[in-house]
Amino acid sequence: YFLLNELAAKPIGSRGQVLYGTLGKANITMKIHRHEGYDRMFRAVYFDDVKRRPIELSGDGSNWTESNSTSKKQPQIVANWKNDVLAGEWQGDKKLRFKVAP
């Protein structure tokens, strides 16, 4: 029972589910998982549903950095969890709204 309550308190995306949403006007799919051996580090991958090019992310669950970016300055996603929705802003050469949920 205690373990179930502990899992319920964490954002749904932190447990490895596939999330769907938008980045700007593009529809995206995202999968988040905890990085092995690091208690507070997460890894994720997302892709535009049309182009389907995977973009790797690493971060703490609220601040993400694109790991495989070809830009000089690596784009970041700054977002917060609320009711199993991760929403915020993608910050790169421009700023775009970001939102994903189960």
Side-chain angles (χ1 to χ4, degrees):
Y1 181 74
F2 176 75
L3 182 59
L4 290 176
N5 283 340
E6 186 177 312
L7 284 173
K10 293 181 180 178
I12 195 164
S14 71
R15 298 193 302 261
Q17 284 85 359
V18 176
L19 306 173
Y20 305 94
T22 55
L23 177 61
K25 294 181 181 180
N27 290 322
I28 63 170
T29 301
M30 183 176 189
K31 169 115 180 182
I32 301 172
H33 58 276
R34 188 175 298 280
H35 184 62
E36 293 295 321
Y38 294 93
D39 196 25
R40 293 187 178 120
M41 180 64 79
F42 292 90
R43 298 269 185 213
V45 63
Y46 78 92
F47 59 88
D48 178 313
D49 291 350
V50 174
K51 296 177 185 174
R52 304 195 63 83
R53 181 179 62 89
I55 299 169
E56 297 175 16
L57 299 167
S58 62
D60 63 8
S62 295
N63 296 294
W64 302 87
T65 300
E66 289 188 6
S67 307
N68 60 341
S69 174
T70 57
S71 300
K72 286 183 180 179
K73 181 182 177 195
Q74 292 178 307
Q76 295 187 332
I77 294 173
V78 178
N80 292 301
W81 289 101
K82 184 176 181 182
N83 299 327
D84 289 335
V85 174
L86 181 62
E89 187 173 68
W90 179 91
Q91 301 170 353
D93 56 347
K94 55 185 166 182
K95 294 183 179 186
L96 301 171
R97 288 185 183 183
F98 169 84
K99 182 178 179 182
V100 292

